[in-house]
Amino acid sequence: MRLKCIRLAGFKSFVDPTTVNFPSNMAAVVGPNGCGKSNIIDAVRWVMGESSAKNLRGESMTDVIFNGSTSRKPVSQASIELVFDNSDNSLVGEYAAYAEISIRRKVTRDGQNTYYLNGTKCRRRDITDIFLGTGLGPRSYSIIEQGMISKLIEAKPEELRNFIEEAAGISKYKERRRETESRIRRTQENLARLTDLREELERQIERLHRQAQAAEKYREYKAEERQLKARLAALRWRDLDDRVRQRETVIGDQEVAFEALVAEQRNADASIERLRDGHHELSERFNQVQGRFYSVAGDIARVEQSIQHGQQRLRQLQDDLKEAERSRLETESHLGHDRTLLATLGEELAMLEPEQELTLAAAEEAAATLEEAELGMHGWQEQWDGFNTRSAEPRRQAEVQQARLAQLESSLERLAERQRKLGEEGEQLGGDTQDTETSDLGEQVASSELLLEELHLQEQQAVERLEGLREQLQQTSQAQQQQQGDLQRLGGRLASLEALQQAALEPGVGAADWLRAQGLEQRP
């Protein structure tokens, strides 16, 4: 049996349907690294039933499906078909008569694997059974890939034994023996389960036999119970029949007595009717007498109620008279007290008129003083703002002069250092050029020193002027605080005078009424 061709579609790098033909017993697949040579061997292993993704250089079985690239979209399934030449009849069994054997495997994205043998759907086991003993298989020695030789050399005795048995063609017999032993083991397990079931059924049959015996006894006892109940019912019926005859005799006697009593009752009813008619006439006469009695009693009650109401009205009028007398006495007392209070208030008002005039004059002066103090405070505030502006300018100039002074001092230090270095060089070298440069530098240093002295003088003047401005600021602050204190005192005095005036004019004390009577309510 020889491999004729391989048809690949969607498997790893073979996205398009591709057919790889093997025209002879020796064929070679050549190409650069990464062109897919190893994918052909992986395809052969995969179709023969390889179930390990690791042996196919992947993480899962769906990794064999083309996963897409920059220019192609991924596909949904992968399919590999191997076509074998069986013209030498190396296969045995039901497929020995076929000159060509086609084996195909298909996998989808959801992980479903399907095997086909000559176009007929089959199991993976059918594929592996075909290649047992032929040397072909997913992990057989006939597929020699990279590292296979070293794997054979380094194989353990058990693994090497498997390879030798496969080459000798006895692997299929061992597989059949393993299947037979597995079937025998399953049969023994089934027999053990059947034995357990038989024992359980025997226990159930014995239990059912005991239940059947109990049911038979129950049926016998039930028939005996029915007979005994029937005899008991007959005895009870006979006894009850005797009692019924006796009761019927008693009932007949009682019916005769009842008829006699009914006759007596009818006579009594006739007597009752006659008495009822007499009672009705007496009731009508009694109702007439009772109506006259109720009418007289109502008249008496109305007269008594009128007498009681007159007595209550008399007592109420007497109480009102006493209350009016007491109110008159209290009014006369209040009137005398009010007259005395009015005389006192007139005397106090006569005494307060000069003080009121003085208070009004003081209030006017306080208002004028308050207005002047406010004007003075606004003037001091403007002077204070101007002083702050003027005092900020000398401070800024002093800071500028200090920065300039620091810059000149640093320049003077640099010039002195340069002069010293040039002097040293001049002593070492000698010459007119160095002397001229030294003299120029000396003049620059002298001019810088003069400028520095002028700046020092300007700084001292600015500091003295700043001190004078600070003293003037302190004096101005003290004057402002004094003016604010006077303003607060005048405001308090004005508030007190206004409160006194408002209290004097408050209604209820008599002054407002007196001012209105004198025509002075509109005066300030």
Side-chain angles (χ1 to χ4, degrees):
M1 187 172 66
R2 183 178 61 84
L3 180 63
K4 292 179 62 178
C5 66
I6 302 176
R7 297 188 180 97
L8 307 96
F11 183 84
K12 290 190 175 182
S13 59
F14 297 95
V15 57
D16 295 323
T18 305
T19 301
V20 180
N21 295 310
F22 299 97
S24 62
N25 292 334
M26 182 178 294
V29 179
V30 296
N33 293 334
C35 66
K37 299 187 298 298
S38 300
N39 293 341
I40 297 176
I41 298 298
D42 292 342
V44 174
R45 287 179 178 275
W46 184 66
V47 173
M48 289 186 177
E50 179 61 58
S51 59
S52 175
K54 182 179 179 181
N55 292 329
L56 297 176
R57 300 176 299 164
E59 295 181 358
S60 63
M61 294 306 294
T62 57
D63 290 344
V64 300
I65 304 174
F66 179 71
N67 205 23
S69 63
T70 56
S71 59
R72 297 292 297 271
K73 295 181 180 180
V75 296
S76 60
Q77 64 180 10
S79 175
I80 301 293
E81 184 179 4
L82 302 181
V83 180
F84 291 93
D85 183 8
N86 191 32
S87 58
D88 56 354
N89 296 324
S90 58
L91 286 180
V92 295
E94 57 179 336
Y95 293 99
Y98 290 94
E100 189 175 88
I101 304 297
S102 171
I103 300 172
R104 185 163 67 93
R105 181 179 180 180
K106 183 177 69 174
V107 65
T108 58
R109 286 284 180 186
D110 54 0
Q112 293 183 358
N113 287 272
T114 309
Y115 294 88
Y116 298 91
L117 187 59
N118 281 354
T120 304
K121 191 174 181 179
C122 63
R123 301 173 301 171
R124 176 175 174 272
R125 178 64 179 274
D126 298 334
I127 303 298
T128 55
D129 288 344
I130 288 177
F131 294 104
L132 282 176
T134 61
L136 290 176
R139 302 180 187 178
S140 64
Y141 66 91
S142 60
I143 301 176
I144 300 175
E145 59 181 350
Q146 185 177 2
M148 187 66 181
I149 303 301
S150 60
K151 185 176 180 181
L152 289 172
I153 295 173
E154 297 173 357
K156 295 179 181 180
E158 292 296 331
E159 296 176 353
L160 189 60
R161 181 179 179 180
N162 293 333
F163 289 130
I164 294 174
E165 289 177 353
E166 183 70 24
I170 62 176
S171 60
K172 61 180 179 180
Y173 301 109
K174 292 191 68 175
E175 183 68 22
R176 292 175 182 173
R177 177 183 175 182
R178 184 163 52 251
E179 290 179 1
T180 304
E181 289 177 351
S182 177
R183 291 175 182 174
I184 292 172
R185 185 167 55 254
R186 288 196 298 271
T187 303
Q188 290 176 352
E189 292 175 356
N190 293 332
L191 288 174
R193 286 195 294 273
L194 288 173
T195 302
D196 295 338
L197 291 173
R198 185 174 58 81
E199 293 176 355
E200 182 66 24
L201 290 175
E202 288 177 354
R203 288 194 293 271
Q204 292 182 3
I205 289 171
E206 185 178 356
R207 190 183 308 111
L208 292 173
H209 181 67
R210 289 196 299 270
Q211 292 177 0
Q213 291 178 352
E216 186 67 25
K217 290 181 179 180
Y218 173 78
R219 187 167 55 252
E220 294 176 357
Y221 291 152
K222 199 69 175 174
E224 186 178 357
E225 179 186 8
R226 285 196 296 271
Q227 292 178 1
L228 292 175
K229 283 183 178 181
R231 293 175 183 176
L232 180 61
L235 293 173
R236 287 179 178 176
W237 180 81
R238 187 177 62 183
D239 187 14
L240 291 173
D241 187 53
D242 295 339
R243 291 181 182 179
V244 167
R245 290 193 183 96
Q246 295 175 4
R247 296 291 173 84
E248 286 178 352
T249 304
V250 174
I251 289 170
D253 298 338
Q254 290 181 354
E255 284 179 352
V256 172
F258 177 73
E259 291 293 336
L261 293 174
V262 168
E264 292 177 0
Q265 181 183 5
R266 289 174 179 172
N267 295 327
D269 289 339
S271 301
I272 289 171
E273 287 294 331
R274 290 191 299 272
L275 294 173
R276 185 176 296 166
D277 293 336
H279 180 267
H280 182 66
E281 294 176 358
L282 294 174
S283 296
E284 289 180 354
R285 294 173 60 186
F286 175 76
N287 290 333
Q288 292 175 1
V289 173
Q290 190 176 14
R292 289 196 300 273
F293 172 76
Y294 286 153
S295 176
V296 172
D299 295 337
I300 293 170
R302 283 194 296 274
V303 172
E304 290 177 350
Q305 186 176 6
S306 299
I307 294 170
Q308 186 178 2
H309 182 268
Q311 292 175 355
Q312 291 179 355
R313 181 62 179 169
L314 179 60
R315 286 195 296 271
Q316 184 176 3
L317 291 174
Q318 291 175 355
D319 294 338
D320 292 342
L321 181 59
K322 292 178 182 179
E323 183 67 25
E325 185 67 23
R326 187 169 56 253
S327 299
R328 184 182 64 79
L329 295 175
E330 290 180 358
T331 304
E332 290 178 354
S333 176
H334 288 308
L335 182 60
H337 182 269
D338 290 341
R339 287 174 180 173
T340 304
L341 182 60
L342 181 60
T344 304
L345 290 174
E347 294 175 359
E348 291 179 358
L349 183 61
M351 294 173 64
L352 289 174
E353 284 180 358
E355 186 178 353
Q356 182 183 8
E357 293 177 357
L358 293 175
T359 302
L360 293 174
E364 292 177 357
E365 292 177 1
T369 306
L370 178 61
E371 185 176 359
E372 292 177 0
E374 289 180 352
L375 293 174
M377 186 179 68
H378 287 302
W380 281 109
Q381 187 68 33
E382 293 177 358
Q383 292 178 8
W384 170 258
D385 295 337
F387 174 73
N388 286 334
T389 304
R390 291 193 301 273
S391 62
E393 183 64 24
R395 188 181 296 108
R396 186 181 61 78
Q397 292 180 1
E399 291 176 355
V400 173
Q401 294 297 335
Q402 286 178 359
R404 185 177 179 186
L405 184 61
Q407 183 178 4
L408 290 174
E409 286 178 353
S410 62
S411 300
L412 185 60
E413 290 177 359
R414 289 196 301 271
L415 291 173
E417 181 67 23
R418 185 177 180 187
Q419 183 180 6
R420 185 181 60 77
K421 290 182 180 180
L422 290 175
E424 292 176 357
E425 291 179 0
E427 291 176 357
Q428 293 176 2
L429 299 176
D432 297 335
T433 306
Q434 289 80 3
D435 293 337
T436 304
E437 187 175 358
T438 302
S439 61
D440 293 339
L441 291 174
E443 292 176 359
Q444 292 179 7
V445 170
S447 61
S448 299
E449 289 177 352
L450 291 175
L451 182 59
L452 185 60
E453 289 177 359
E454 292 178 359
L455 291 174
H456 275 297
L457 182 59
Q458 293 178 4
E459 182 182 7
Q460 291 177 0
Q461 293 175 357
V463 170
E464 291 175 357
R465 186 167 53 185
L466 184 59
E467 291 295 331
L469 291 173
R470 285 177 179 172
E471 292 177 359
Q472 186 179 359
L473 175 61
Q474 187 174 4
Q475 295 174 0
T476 305
S477 299
Q478 293 177 356
Q480 183 184 8
Q481 292 176 0
Q482 185 177 0
Q483 291 292 333
Q484 287 179 351
D486 295 340
L487 180 61
Q488 290 177 357
R489 285 194 297 275
L490 291 173
R493 185 177 179 186
L494 179 60
S496 300
L497 292 173
E498 289 178 351
L500 288 173
Q501 184 178 6
Q502 184 66 27
L505 296 176
E506 185 177 359
V509 299
D513 297 335
W514 181 84
L515 290 173
R516 191 179 302 106
Q518 300 296 327
L520 300 176
E521 71 275 6
Q522 300 297 330
R523 297 291 299 275

